[in-house]
Amino acid sequence: MDADPDDHIEKCRAYAAQQRHGHYFSHESAALIHRMPLPYRHHPSRVHVAVFAPHWPPRMNGVVPHELKSSGHRVVTVDDLACVSPEDTWAQLSGRLDVAELVAIGDFLITGDEPYSGRPSPLGRAELERAVRHHGRRRGVHSLRVAVELVRYGSLSPQESVLRVALVRAALPEPELNFRVTHGGRLVAMVDLAYPEARTAIEYLGDHHRTDADLYRADIHRRERLASIGWNTVFITAADLAGPVPRAVPLIRAALKRSSRDLCTPAPGVSRA
C-alpha cells in the first residue's frame, strides 16, 4: 500500500498521462484523489480504474480494473484527474469499510472545510442518499444505509465521527459536535463532543497532543477551565477506540453516570455554536 496519499496520486497522474479515453479513477484511488479520510489499511498500492460500457477495462500490471454501469454515475475532474464523483466513490467503498468508517467519510463530504473557510461543501445529505439509492444492490449496501442515517454535518475529524457512532450504537445519547461552552458571556472552550445537560465534554487526543508541549499544556488548561464551571472532561485516544467494544464507551458512560445527579440543573453559561 502507499503510505502517503500523494504517492498514490502521482501513480494516478502517470496513468492519466496515457490519455486513455473513457477511463476514470474509482474506489480507493478516487477516495484519495478526493482527499477522503480513508483508513490507512485501505490505502491502495495499485491504481483503481473504471470504465463504462462499451469500453473495455484495462488489463495491466499495477491497475485494478472495474466495469461500471453508466446510468446514475457522476464523473468529475479533480486537479486534472477524471474520477468518479465523491458520493459515488463513497458508495463504492461500502463493501470494504465498516459503518463508522463510512460515516466518517460521509461527515467529511457534507462538512467540507466550511467551519474553517466559510465555504459550504457542494455535497449534502441529498447527494449521499441519491448514491445509496443508485447503489442499492451492491455488496455492503446495508452498511451504507445504516451509515447515511448517522452522517452529521460539523464533524472535524474522522476520529470524532467514529467515537460518535460508537456511542450511538451503544445506546448512549448522541453528543453535540464541536460545542461551544460559555460562562458569563465568555467562551470557555470549544470541545469536540459534548453532553451539555450533563456538563460532560469529550476531547479526542491524537498522538500530536502528547508530543507537542504547547498542545499538551493547552489541553490541561482547557480541562481546568471547564472544571472551574462544573464540567467534567473525558480525554479519548486512538487506543480507546480500538476493538469491537471500544473502551471509550464505558469511560463515557461512567462519566455520564457521575453527572446524572446534576441533569436537572441547567449547566452554567451553556450556549450552542
Side-chain angles (χ1 to χ4, degrees):
M1 65 180 67
D2 291 326
D4 186 342
D6 289 330
D7 291 343
H8 187 77
I9 291 172
E10 285 306 309
K11 289 183 180 179
C12 294
R13 292 195 183 283
Y15 185 90
Q18 300 177 39
Q19 298 184 337
R20 292 173 177 251
H21 178 68
H23 289 208
Y24 307 101
F25 300 108
S26 66
H27 297 77
E28 285 89 341
S29 293
L32 294 183
I33 292 170
H34 289 302
R35 300 295 180 178
M36 295 178 183
L38 187 68
Y40 173 75
R41 70 181 187 281
H42 289 288
H43 282 209
S45 57
R46 295 188 292 165
V47 174
H48 289 259
V49 177
V51 299
F52 302 115
H55 293 283
W56 289 90
R59 304 292 180 187
M60 57 190 298
N61 291 334
V63 173
V64 181
H66 302 273
E67 187 173 358
L68 307 179
K69 294 181 180 179
S70 59
S71 61
H73 280 90
R74 194 165 67 91
V75 172
V76 298
T77 300
V78 179
D79 294 332
D80 298 323
L81 296 174
C83 54
V84 174
S85 70
E87 67 271 23
D88 287 317
T89 299
W90 175 70
Q92 288 175 343
L93 298 173
S94 62
R96 296 159 162 80
L97 306 185
D98 63 29
V99 168
E101 292 164 341
L102 290 169
V103 172
I105 291 177
D107 288 354
F108 166 81
L109 291 178
I110 70 170
T111 301
D113 66 355
E114 183 176 9
Y116 303 107
S117 68
R119 296 188 302 271
S121 168
L123 299 179
R125 180 177 294 277
E127 284 73 25
L128 299 187
E129 291 173 345
R130 180 204 67 79
V132 173
R133 290 193 299 271
H134 173 63
H135 295 271
R137 294 187 177 182
R138 79 164 36 252
R139 182 169 62 92
V141 69
H142 174 71
S143 295
L144 203 62
R145 288 171 178 156
V146 173
V148 76
E149 296 300 323
L150 292 169
V151 168
R152 300 288 183 269
Y153 172 88
S155 180
L156 298 180
S157 79
Q159 292 81 12
E160 290 178 26
S161 299
V162 169
L163 175 55
R164 187 186 83 244
V165 171
L167 297 175
V168 171
R169 301 191 89 184
L172 286 170
E174 183 167 341
E176 301 267 357
L177 290 173
N178 296 293
F179 190 83
R180 295 177 185 271
V181 182
T182 64
H183 182 64
R186 176 178 59 87
L187 177 66
V188 176
M190 186 174 82
V191 297
D192 295 337
L193 303 168
Y195 291 102
E197 292 80 6
R199 305 180 194 179
T200 299
I202 305 163
E203 293 278 73
Y204 178 83
L205 302 183
D207 281 345
H208 61 292
H209 285 258
R210 175 177 53 82
T211 58
D212 186 309
D214 290 337
L215 274 178
Y216 181 71
R217 284 190 291 268
D219 293 333
I220 294 173
H221 294 160
R222 184 165 59 254
R223 179 172 60 184
E224 290 173 345
R225 293 196 305 272
L226 289 166
S228 72
I229 60 168
W231 277 65
N232 180 34
T233 303
V234 182
F235 287 133
I236 299 297
T237 67
D240 298 318
L241 293 178
V245 181
R247 181 172 176 266
V249 171
L251 284 175
I252 293 167
R253 181 178 281 119
L256 292 177
K257 286 182 177 179
R258 288 195 299 271
S259 300
S260 62
R261 63 181 180 275
D262 299 322
L263 287 177
C264 295
T265 303
V270 168
S271 71
R272 304 191 185 282

